[in-house]
Amino acid sequence: MKKNKLASILIALTITIICGFSTNNISTKAATRPTFFVRNVTKLYTSEGKLISNRALGPYTTWAVGKVGFIDGSNYAQVATNEYVFVGDGQIYNDNPDDDVQLTNYKPDINKINEYVVKYVNAIHAANGTQPVHTSADFISYANQRAAQQTKGHLDHSTATRETSENLSSDGYHYLLFWGYVHSDKDVAYYLLKSWYDETFNMWSYVGTRGHFGHRAAIIYSGPTVAVGMSDDAASFVADWAPGNDFMNLYNYTGTSPDTKFVSKDSVQ
């Protein structure tokens, strides 16, 4: 008996179960706001998607919702200051998807993003036996210009004014921040480079056809100067390049798994 009692005390000290309010006590005016009902003990997260280990919502409770939006592409509802619940863990009422807002407080810094881009590209180059790179203010400015020249949902290489290699993406600031895919400058750098490397959304050539791994080739064989630029609606990667045999071999590869290497997110600090 003493052992069971001690275990109960330890559990109570480890996590605080928060009681909500009954829907019967919600005023007519408040009822127009979104509310969130849970049947089970429900985990809480920060706006960056990190689990709050010492607090949770109690079972059969209802919570007034502040903001509703996305963290790492999944829908979350705010139930307290920097405390969010995954919408799939309960039932949300009176929610209007058109009212979803950006949840992350992160403010991008393009210069710091490029510092991480250089670190990651150098790690990728080291893994694939290619030369190190650096960036410059001029290249960052040009990369930003190229991103700004893209219109929402339409990417166009033909407007480039320099003989650089170029990767483009529709994943601009608005997309990455609204959907909560990034929470730091490091996140942005890694997300963009991995998206281009993976070729998942390559709209120019499909897997098994020549050119499908062109974005990957442009990263692995880039330099010596590289830069990423961004706008609300697009991102660009521009680089010096000399398309030699190794680049062309990867560009022309028509298989599904070329012999190249990427790096983990924690490979750079």
Side-chain angles (χ1 to χ4, degrees), residues 24 128 141-142 171 206-207 215 226 249-250:
N24 294 330
N128 290 278
S141 176
Y142 178 65
D171 295 353
Y206 297 101
V207 64
H215 298 95
V226 304
N249 286 339
L250 181 53

Side-chain angles (χ1 to χ4, degrees), residues 107-119:
K107 304 296 183 185
D109 182 325
I110 193 62
N111 291 314
K112 291 182 179 178
I113 290 171
N114 273 281
E115 289 178 11
Y116 283 110
V117 165
V118 169
K119 290 179 180 180

Side-chain angles (χ1 to χ4, degrees), residues 22-36:
S22 168
T23 53
N24 294 330
N25 296 328
I26 304 175
S27 68
T28 302
K29 182 177 180 180
T32 61
R33 290 182 55 189
T35 58
F36 191 74

Side-chain angles (χ1 to χ4, degrees), residues 185-201:
D185 298 318
K186 182 179 180 180
D187 284 354
V188 176
Y190 190 80
Y191 178 98
L192 290 174
L193 290 171
K194 191 173 190 305
S195 295
W196 282 313
Y197 180 91
D198 287 347
E199 303 283 6
T200 305
F201 303 107

Side-chain angles (χ1 to χ4, degrees), residues 81-139:
T81 302
N82 202 29
E83 292 186 349
Y84 297 82
V85 288
F86 173 51
V87 169
D89 285 342
Q91 180 67 50
I92 192 166
Y93 297 95
N94 301 320
D95 178 41
N96 181 356
D98 291 337
D99 294 334
D100 288 356
V101 298
Q102 174 185 314
L103 298 183
T104 180
N105 294 317
Y106 157 62
K107 304 296 183 185
D109 182 325
I110 193 62
N111 291 314
K112 291 182 179 178
I113 290 171
N114 273 281
E115 289 178 11
Y116 283 110
V117 165
V118 169
K119 290 179 180 180
Y120 277 123
V121 171
N122 279 333
I124 295 166
H125 281 203
N128 290 278
T130 49
Q131 297 300 307
V133 302
H134 59 265
T135 192
S136 71
D138 176 61
F139 259 60

